[in-house]
Amino acid sequence: MSTKTKNEQSVYVYEVPIRLWHWINALAITVLAITGYLIGSPLSSLSGEAYEHFLMGYIRFAHFAAGYVFVIGFIGRIYWAFVGNSHAKQIFLPPIFSGKFWSEVWHEMKWYLFIAKEPKKYVGHNPMAIIFMHVMLVWGTFFMIFTGLALYGEGAGFDSWQYSWFSSWIIPLFGQSQDVHTFHHLGMWVILIFVMMHVYVAFREDIMSRQTLISTMISGWRTFKDNRKD
Amino acid sequence: MTETFYDVMRRQGITRRSFLKFCSLTAAAMGLSPAYAAKIADAMENKPRIPVLWLHGLECTCCSESFIRSAHPLAKDVILSMISLDYDDTIMAAAGHQAEAIIEETIEKYDGNFILACEGNPGLEQENTGGMSCIIAGKPYTEQLRYAAKHAKAIISWGSCASWGCVQAASPNPTGATPIHKVPDLGNAPIIKVPGCPPIAEVMTAVITYMLTFERLPSLDRQGRPKMFYSQRIHDKCYRRGHFDAGQFVEKWDDEGARKGYCLYKMGCKGPTTYNACSTIRWNGGLSFPIQAGHPCIGCSEDGFWDKGGFYNRLSGINQFGVEENADKVGIGAATVVGGAIAAHAAISALKRSQNKGDQA
């Protein structure tokens, strides 16, 4: 951490691709959750001739299109973890063998349980956020991508790459297609619960912690509110 | 000389014309090019019939019922003579010791060259408890199955019982009913699954025809089902698919949508998750299939279809919480708890913050 004696110090944390991914991903998840829910529980039946409508078709199209954005975005995000700055790796590789890391997780927990008076300062994510994002977002995303492509491969057919790479082993792994649907559906709720907590914590930390959060994900610059150490 | 299929068919009074029709229809059903019709005819004329031992375990005989109704006229009259069905306790004339002796005889004569057709599955729980059930000729079915399986060239698992377990293996599965491929100590014969409750008659006869024609197993998918019949879902070829894409659904029984033949998705149709050929081959000679009759597919050819909640619910039941739930109920429940926790945490945070400000002031 820099030791400049300025009242407010700023660090450039989130590079452009990370921020772009964050907001595109947020949009994709929104579309995926809404359309996904409507695939499981469709809207009321339409009357008239079948050729006059393509409602379910459009809903499924939006789901698949947003799904591809989600997948390609995540591939890009993984790529950036390799070529980007050190913060780009954080959510993929929690330093679980570091004692300091766990003591900071503990401190962060105490802060959230209103025991610690003050949180510590972090340039990137705080340690608890790293664990939270690694487990719920990174693994949640992997799970949704794998089960999602497995379900897509069923429609694409036996000779599609989606089928041979995903459906062929994921469907038997879960038992049958209906089970993959159920777990994919539950996965949506895991991601939505992640979003609820993520948004709440982002606002809370933005107000109560010692650094900026929301503006950081827009501008990329983390500004600290005080220049005390740690 | 051993009788060929063709000899048998002619003996049964089938004309050569109908015989060739059967061959081309079978080629079409298996998704083969027209050229294969001649190959099938050639195989039927020249190859000796395959001896088949058809064993019955825990089952309801619906597979046999389906099989003997194979709708093509030729198949209907001849199928039982086509294969050399040496043993099938349900429909054979012989009984008692005479019948059981046939198993021995077939194994001796055709060791490693006959097909073992399994209808139903063994209940393995009796091996643990010492109980007795499914006794055939004084011995548990499991023993008969193991004995025959070790000498067979290939095993066909007819129906969902033999393929997946079906109703007798549904939770809590008191008899320990176990699908054929999971029975321990069964030898190394390859297993073909032909699931369905029952499987479509034409699918059953076509699988056997294929094995005779090409002298090998049909190409199987990862789960051991013949690709030619189980590579697509009911939904993919459903004639009501247009209504699904349009968003036109039956909302409840006997409503306007039901009368107009809209999609049965909301009535719990398992067509989108069920691999079978019902929507293409259909049943009873192509007459109809469940969805055409206005009833949702219950997914009878899928593993564990009894244990996915109600047949008439779109979303699977999740019973791990002790009560009937589905993914949405679980999700909304969890989201409500988390939402409540967030609200409480936010309230305490705000309170603490105002307290701290008061302290500093």
Side-chain angles (χ1 to χ4, degrees):
Chain A
M1 216 160 287
S2 143
T3 48
K4 270 186 248 166
T5 47
K6 239 173 52 180
N7 201 18
E8 276 191 346
Q9 38 172 312
S10 292
V11 193
Y12 188 57
V13 183
Y14 299 126
E15 296 154 294
V16 176
I18 299 282
R19 281 177 280 145
L20 205 60
W21 171 75
H22 175 268
W23 295 109
I24 289 174
N25 205 39
L27 190 70
I29 289 173
T30 309
V31 174
L32 283 166
I34 293 170
T35 54
Y37 182 83
L38 290 178
I39 291 169
S41 309
L43 296 164
S44 294
S45 184
L46 298 173
S47 56
E49 291 296 330
Y51 63 76
E52 291 165 358
H53 311 286
F54 194 59
L55 182 62
M56 200 68 181
Y58 287 129
I59 289 173
R60 293 175 73 241
F61 175 78
H63 192 78
F64 299 148
Y68 273 113
V69 170
F70 187 67
V71 172
I72 293 162
F74 195 61
I75 293 171
R77 180 64 183 80
I78 292 171
Y79 168 74
W80 201 256
F82 286 101
V83 300
N85 65 20
S86 65
H87 303 293
K89 297 175 182 61
Q90 265 194 320
I91 61 168
F92 291 99
L93 299 167
I96 51 167
F97 297 113
S98 147
K100 181 169 175 278
F101 175 76
W102 288 108
S103 78
E104 285 174 345
V105 170
W106 179 237
H107 184 268
E108 197 66 21
M109 272 185 183
K110 286 195 287 189
W111 158 241
Y112 270 88
L113 291 170
F114 309 106
I115 297 167
K117 272 224 139 161
E118 204 175 49
K120 293 186 178 183
K121 278 159 82 171
Y122 298 100
V123 179
H125 295 295
N126 76 56
M128 206 158 80
I130 293 174
I131 291 181
F132 173 61
M133 291 198 189
H134 181 75
V135 174
M136 287 187 79
L137 186 71
V138 175
W139 288 109
T141 301
F142 270 121
F143 182 81
M144 293 310 268
I145 287 176
F146 276 67
T147 51
L149 284 172
L151 295 174
Y152 186 84
E154 294 196 283
F158 261 43
D159 37 12
S160 65
W161 63 267
Q162 292 93 340
Y163 190 91
S164 43
W165 292 5
F166 298 97
S167 322
S168 62
W169 62 276
I170 291 172
I171 305 277
L173 186 70
F174 280 83
Q176 55 139 301
S177 173
Q178 184 76 12
D179 299 319
V180 185
H181 280 80
T182 303
F183 280 97
H184 191 68
H185 202 135
L186 285 170
M188 172 192 82
W189 285 105
V190 171
I191 301 260
L192 286 188
I193 287 169
F194 166 81
V195 170
M196 286 167 68
M197 293 166 74
H198 175 65
V199 171
Y200 165 64
V201 167
F203 274 99
R204 182 180 190 273
E205 290 291 284
D206 199 62
I207 297 165
M208 296 177 63
S209 78
R210 294 158 66 190
Q211 63 242 0
T212 58
L213 269 98
I214 297 170
S215 59
T216 308
M217 203 27 102
I218 296 166
S219 69
W221 286 86
R222 171 90 73 221
T223 306
F224 292 101
K225 297 171 189 171
D226 60 62
N227 52 9
R228 284 176 287 122
K229 273 193 89 181
D230 222 14
Chain B
M1 202 189 112
T2 335
E3 243 186 344
T4 64
F5 293 95
Y6 183 61
D7 297 334
V8 174
M9 286 179 180
R10 290 309 297 262
R11 185 157 52 74
Q12 300 271 331
I14 279 112
T15 62
R16 180 159 178 84
R17 176 175 287 266
S18 338
F19 165 71
L20 291 175
K21 256 194 214 168
F22 167 76
C23 294
S24 29
L25 271 172
T26 305
M30 292 193 287
L32 302 169
S33 82
Y36 279 99
K39 274 202 167 183
I40 292 173
D42 180 62
M44 298 228 150
E45 282 166 351
N46 298 311
K47 289 183 186 167
R49 297 180 296 158
I50 320 172
V52 174
L53 290 185
W54 189 307
L55 302 186
H56 297 255
L58 302 170
E59 47 102 1
C60 73
T61 321
C62 76
C63 300
S64 295
E65 289 288 347
S66 174
F67 189 72
I68 59 175
R69 276 164 186 75
S70 179
H72 190 273
L74 268 175
K76 189 172 98 192
D77 296 332
V78 178
I79 199 73
L80 291 176
S81 331
M82 238 177 77
I83 53 174
S84 172
L85 187 56
D86 292 352
Y87 177 95
D88 183 333
D89 53 29
T90 309
I91 53 176
M92 70 199 299
H97 295 296
Q98 209 185 357
E100 297 312 309
I102 296 170
I103 295 189
E104 280 303 326
E105 200 188 310
T106 305
I107 289 174
E108 256 171 51
K109 255 168 86 182
Y110 302 101
D111 193 2
N113 279 313
F114 66 92
I115 290 174
L116 177 65
C118 294
E119 184 176 349
N121 54 30
L124 296 184
E125 189 55 29
Q126 60 188 347
E127 293 191 347
N128 305 328
T129 57
M132 296 291 267
S133 67
C134 204
I135 305 299
I136 294 162
K139 280 186 284 183
Y141 167 65
T142 321
E143 281 181 27
Q144 192 191 36
L145 172 69
R146 284 193 177 125
Y147 177 56
K150 283 176 187 156
H151 295 276
K153 182 183 184 186
I155 300 173
I156 303 179
S157 288
W158 283 145
S160 292
C161 297
S163 300
W164 308 124
C166 209
V167 67
Q168 61 273 37
S171 177
N173 190 3
T175 58
T178 308
I180 304 300
H181 67 283
K182 287 187 182 162
V183 176
D185 192 24
L186 206 61
N188 297 318
I191 298 174
I192 309 163
K193 295 193 190 102
V194 186
C197 191
I200 303 169
E202 284 74 9
V203 169
M204 300 174 84
T205 53
V207 167
I208 289 184
T209 312
Y210 187 98
M211 288 165 75
L212 171 83
T213 309
F214 299 104
E215 286 178 341
R216 59 162 193 253
L217 304 185
S219 147
L220 305 178
D221 70 5
R222 215 181 171 99
Q223 298 181 74
R225 302 171 295 191
K227 275 185 184 168
M228 51 190 150
F229 299 112
Y230 294 93
S231 61
Q232 278 186 318
R233 299 167 299 175
I234 305 290
H235 192 58
D236 295 321
K237 287 282 172 72
C238 182
Y239 80 105
R240 296 192 183 200
R241 179 62 189 261
H243 292 297
F244 170 82
D245 288 331
Q248 297 181 311
F249 303 101
V250 176
E251 300 280 353
K252 58 179 198 291
W253 301 119
D254 240 6
D255 68 357
E256 184 73 12
R259 282 192 287 275
K260 285 185 172 163
Y262 285 176
C263 175
L264 291 155
Y265 186 78
K266 283 189 177 181
M267 303 309 291
C269 184
K270 300 295 183 295
T273 56
T274 303
Y275 288 85
N276 208 335
C278 304
S279 50
T280 42
I281 296 178
R282 307 195 186 188
W283 288 80
N284 300 320
L287 178 71
S288 185
F289 71 113
I291 294 169
Q292 195 172 342
H295 191 280
C297 167
I298 62 171
C300 76
S301 54
E302 288 295 319
D303 192 1
F305 74 100
W306 295 98
D307 291 327
K308 305 297 168 205
F311 287 155
Y312 304 104
N313 298 330
R314 170 92 289 276
L315 304 178
S316 276
I318 296 172
N319 300 326
Q320 277 68 21
F321 300 95
V323 279
E324 274 286 319
E325 301 285 6
N326 64 34
D328 277 336
K329 287 188 200 165
V330 171
I332 289 168
T336 311
V337 170
V338 173
I342 287 174
H345 199 268
I348 301 171
S349 301
L351 204 69
K352 281 267 176 186
R353 190 173 160 80
S354 63
Q355 267 178 0
N356 286 349
K357 273 200 177 146
D359 291 348
Q360 281 162 12

